[in-house]
């Protein structure tokens, strides 16, 4: 099945501690059904100092389940994603506005 959410998509969180926050997808893990969204689901990780990087407590975006994410349409609202054929090409579109993503 084609991916409804892809890297670079602007999404909003539907459930959990970060409900309502928006961000851009930086990585998608289809096998785990999860995605990493910048600025969402932040955890503190302790890192040892290296010659190139300062050590300490570093914030890191952790994966969040795809079912808790929704695409943001042109109006800034959450929308579901549909598929349709335009000519011979399969495209994703926002269900609320009908615009091609």
């Amino acid at each position: 099945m084609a991916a409804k959410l892809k890297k670079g998509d602007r999404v909003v969180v539907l459930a959990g501690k970060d409900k309502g926050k928006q961000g851009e997808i930086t990585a998608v893990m289809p096998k785990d059904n999860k995605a990493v969204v910048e600025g969402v689901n932040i955890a503190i990780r302790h890192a040892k100092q290296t010659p190139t990087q300062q050590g300490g407590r570093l914030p890191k975006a952790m994966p969040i389940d795809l079912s808790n994410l929704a695409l943001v349409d042109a109006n800034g609202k959450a929308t579901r994603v549909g598929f349709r054929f335009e000519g011979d090409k399969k495209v994703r579109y926002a269900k609320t506005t009908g615009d091609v993503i």
Side-chain angles (χ1 to χ4, degrees):
M1 188 175 133
K4 294 187 182 228
L5 298 175
K6 296 182 177 182
K7 182 178 176 178
D9 285 348
R10 188 126 188 97
V11 294
V12 62
V13 180
L14 300 175
K17 66 177 183 180
D18 294 322
K19 181 178 179 176
K21 285 189 181 176
Q22 292 188 10
E24 190 173 307
I25 295 179
T26 56
V28 178
M29 295 161 264
K31 286 184 181 175
D32 301 331
N33 203 36
K34 292 181 182 279
V36 176
V37 181
E38 70 177 42
V40 174
N41 200 22
I42 300 293
I44 300 294
R45 291 291 174 249
H46 295 75
K48 201 176 230 185
Q49 184 172 350
T50 64
T52 58
Q53 185 179 354
Q54 179 72 32
R57 302 174 68 222
L58 306 174
K60 181 181 179 187
M62 301 303 284
I64 188 169
D65 205 87
L66 289 174
S67 64
N68 294 332
L69 300 175
L71 195 73
V72 175
D73 64 4
N75 302 332
K77 300 225 175 165
T79 182
R80 291 175 294 148
V81 178
F83 293 96
R84 66 178 173 218
F85 286 95
E86 290 193 353
D88 59 344
K89 223 174 168 186
K90 188 176 184 181
V91 295
R92 297 183 304 155
Y93 73 97
K95 294 255 185 167
T96 55
T97 60
D99 297 336
V100 173
I101 301 166

